[in-house]
């Protein structure tokens, strides 16, 4: 297939009926123009401007007005002139007869034709934007760009309870920087606190749709903000407006989370079709990045509700698993609420093992949304290679290991990147003193500032250990709790920041009273404090039971804070265990990894780290510097993501 470079923008004007209603089982028809078409609505007419073309000769005669409701008019004299000289080669239509692409050639001879054929261009087809770069002498490299739609329950800074928010807040911008068109669809949460102002820059795009689910038609609206090259789309519905955090409040998880995230998924499937962002829709040839169970209905909807009617034939979905422990499991009877055809029950069907049932008459039947995503997504990603393997094992599979093993061929792990602008010790707005690998003096000052802020004795020489994270079984908080009495006998200080399980919140408050000179437990979610702890501590402890990737150890290394972590998942992949004998005796590694997950092995690793900190200053500084110099940028991770995008598009859709 030949790929082309376009140097001229063509525009033509289409009038079209743009009213849209979310489809129930007969999808509404829509115009899904190919990836680089631009659309805007003026005076009730749809203006289309395309910046890409396909190669060949021909004329405007390719457009057959009689066969669809669209008509093309010339816009003004200049454009008339362009159109006279330019060429329209024809139209692509979907099975419903809707126009999904125009084949145009610009008027002047400004098209360059690349006869280079590569695998991606061969398989991608002409709907993808393809840029060429000329490098070296004769080398020609093609670059495929995609219309990417992230679907996620969190995206920082708009919404965040943990690492999912970090990833979906930063990766989209990096992919946009690589030339992709990127939309992020997430809920518009309002909880009556100052956090609501995060959404102040997003405006109602005046496209209300009715989602057929939960026994009726639920009306949702879309808000939009274009920032950092990304279309941030927020699904608005009263169920996203309530006190508490994103998923629950002090009484526990919200009882209607299945409803709320069903709305998100239906709305996310409609967004590329109905939202004229920047004047033109994404169209149906897009790549959905479906994050965790909250977004898990998206690939099921593509397969069951859209593709049978010819919509999203060329779309692909990639399920990104950030945490397999949360699967969106609800009673089987709730299936009827999800807005899926009955015959798709099997995709979500889930039967609890006998031992997990509540009573003798309990059949254990349930629906499992993440399972539905695993069996319908085109590809599956997790956030580290180690975790990609772990979830195929009985120990790490949370009951889905066999299913995931059966899809091993499309399962990959890519270690998360971090936002190196937000997490930069030389410019971080949340810390009082700045530093870098070349000049670490600011770090010592951050430590004393933190001790002062927390009301701990200011002791520069005393090892300061930190923990930041959700107070959850996953994070191994119970292990810290057991170890604290012993650890507090040592000459150390310990600070914890976290919220979650009230049991551990209460324990942190109590421990602070017991060990007044050594322990601080900050209960709550506080981003500036998390930066100050990361900068001010000497050691960051992460005894996670399992950890798909983990971000805090990456932030810690970047800030010269040495991680001590349980050797699991992404922690094992990213923290290189210190080896004092390697590197001709100068040592190698960026921290300590311990295993098994016991109080004893954790304390042993911590004590080795403390001893190194106290007695081997130069070795310690070398450890800090090696961590600070590691590349955890999203730019590196994005290259791997692009590879997976390419693979996703090479294969036909998994469910056709
Ligand atoms: N009380 C608090 N105050 C301020 N900030 C707080 C905080 N508690 C947590 N955070 C912040 O939330 C983020 C947590 O990220 P993690 O990757 O460690 O965990 P999480 O388990 O949420 O994410 C899941 O998804 C991510 C992303 O893929 C995976 O890395 C991870 O392994 C997986 O469990 C960090 O930015 C951290 O600083």
């Amino acid at each position: 297939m030949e790929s082309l470079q376009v140097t001229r923008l063509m525009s033509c004007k289409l009038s079209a009926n743009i009213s849209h209603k979310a489809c129930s089982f007969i999808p509404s028809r829509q115009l899904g123009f190919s990836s680089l078409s631009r659309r805007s609505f003026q005076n009730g007419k749809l203006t289309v401007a395309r910046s890409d073309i396909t190669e060949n000769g021909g004329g405007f005669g390719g457009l057959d007005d009689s066969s669809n409701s669209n008509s093309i008019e010339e816009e003004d004299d200049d454009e008339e002139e362009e159109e006279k000289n330019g060429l329209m080669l024809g139209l692509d239509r979907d099975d419903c007869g809707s126009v999904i692409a125009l084949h145009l050639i610009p008027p002047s001879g400004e098209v360059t034709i690349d006869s280079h054929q590569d695998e991606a261009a061969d398989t991608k087809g002409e709907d993808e934007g393809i840029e060429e770069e000329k490098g070296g002498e004769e080398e020609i490299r093609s670059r495929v760009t995609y219309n990417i739609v992230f679907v996620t329950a969190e995206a920082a800074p708009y919404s965040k309870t943990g690492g999912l928010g970090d990833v979906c807040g930063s990766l989209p911008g990096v992919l946009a920087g690589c030339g992709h068109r990127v939309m992020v669809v997430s809920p518009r949460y309002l909880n009556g606190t100052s956090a609501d102002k995060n959404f102040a820059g997003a405006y109602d795009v005046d496209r209300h749709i009715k989602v057929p689910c939960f026994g009726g038609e639920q009306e949702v609206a879309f808000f939009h903000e274009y920032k950092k090259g990304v279309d941030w789309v927020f699904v608005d519905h009263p169920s996203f407006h309530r006190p508490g955090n994103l998923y629950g409040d002090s009484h526990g998880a919200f009882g209607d989370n299945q409803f709320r995230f069903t709305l998100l998924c239906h709305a996310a499937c409609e967004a590329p079709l109905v939202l004229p962002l920047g004047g033109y829709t994404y169209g149906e040839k897009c790549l959905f990045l479906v994050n965790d169970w909250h977004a898990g209905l998206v690939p099921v909807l593509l397969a069951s509700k859209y593709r049978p009617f010819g919509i999203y034939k060329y779309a692909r979905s990639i399920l990104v698993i950030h945490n397999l422990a949360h699967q969106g499991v609800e009673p089987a009877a709730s299936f009827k609420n999800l807005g899926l055809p009955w015959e798709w029950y099997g995709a979500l069907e889930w039967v609890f093992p006998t031992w997990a049932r509540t009573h003798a008459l309990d059949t254990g039947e349930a629906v499992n949304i993440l399972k539905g995503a695993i069996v319908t997504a085109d590809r599956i990603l997790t956030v580290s290679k180690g975790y990609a393997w772990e979830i195929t094992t009985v120990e790490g599979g949370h009951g889905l290991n066999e299913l995931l093993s059966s899809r091993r061929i499309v399962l990959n792990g890519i270690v998360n990147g971090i936002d190196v602008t937000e997490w930069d010790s030389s410019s971080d707005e949340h810390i009082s003193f700045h530093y870098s690998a070349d000049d670490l003096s600011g770090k010592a000052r951050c430590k004393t500032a933190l001790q002062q802020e927390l009301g701990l004795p200011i002791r520069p020489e005393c090892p300061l250990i930190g923990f930041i994270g959700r107070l959850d079984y996953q994070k191994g908080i119970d292990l810290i709790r057991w170890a604290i009495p012993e650890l507090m006998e040592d000459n150390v200080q310990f600070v914890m920041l976290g919220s979650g399980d009230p049991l551990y919140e209460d324990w942190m408050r109590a421990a602070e009273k017991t060990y007044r000179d050594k322990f601080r437990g900050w209960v709550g979610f506080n981003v500036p404090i998390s930066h100050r702890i990361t900068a001010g501590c000497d050691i960051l402890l992460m005894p996670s039971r399992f950890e798909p990737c983990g971000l805090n150890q990456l932030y810690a290394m970047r800030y010269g804070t040495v991680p001590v972590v349980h050797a699991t998942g992404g922690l094992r992949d990213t923290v290189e265990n210190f080896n004092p004998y390697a590197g001709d005796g100068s040592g190698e590694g960026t921290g300590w990894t311990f295993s098994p997950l016991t109080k004893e092995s954790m304390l042993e690793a911590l004590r080795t780290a403390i001893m190194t900190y106290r007695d081997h200053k130069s070795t310690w500084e070398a450890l800090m510097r090696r961590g600070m110099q590691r590349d955890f940028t999203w730019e590196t991770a994005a290259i791997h993501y692009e590879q997976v995008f390419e693979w996703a598009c090479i294969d036909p859709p998994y469910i056709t």
Side-chain angles (χ1 to χ4, degrees), residues 340-354:
L340 295 169
W342 270 111
E343 59 272 25
W344 282 80
Y345 176 75
L348 273 68
E349 183 180 21
W350 179 253
V351 183
F352 282 104
T354 322

Side-chain angles (χ1 to χ4, degrees), residues 383-384 386-387 390 547-550 553 568-575:
V383 287
S384 69
Y387 193 63
E390 284 176 13
E547 197 60 80
C549 175
Q553 83 281 10
T568 182
L571 297 178
R572 184 173 39 206
D573 285 6
T574 55
V575 178

Side-chain angles (χ1 to χ4, degrees), residues 160 163 166 322 416 470 474-475 524 526 547-552:
K160 167 175 162 177
D166 284 349
H322 300 264
N416 286 329
R470 292 181 290 110
Q474 175 193 345
K475 302 293 179 184
N526 190 315
E547 197 60 80
C549 175
L551 297 173
N552 287 316

Side-chain angles (χ1 to χ4, degrees), residues 45-68:
K45 290 188 171 178
L46 173 63
T47 301
V48 178
R50 280 181 54 86
S51 58
D52 68 334
I53 60 163
T54 50
E55 179 257 349
N56 226 324
F60 275 109
L63 181 72
D64 180 3
D65 275 343
S66 62
S67 61
N68 70 54

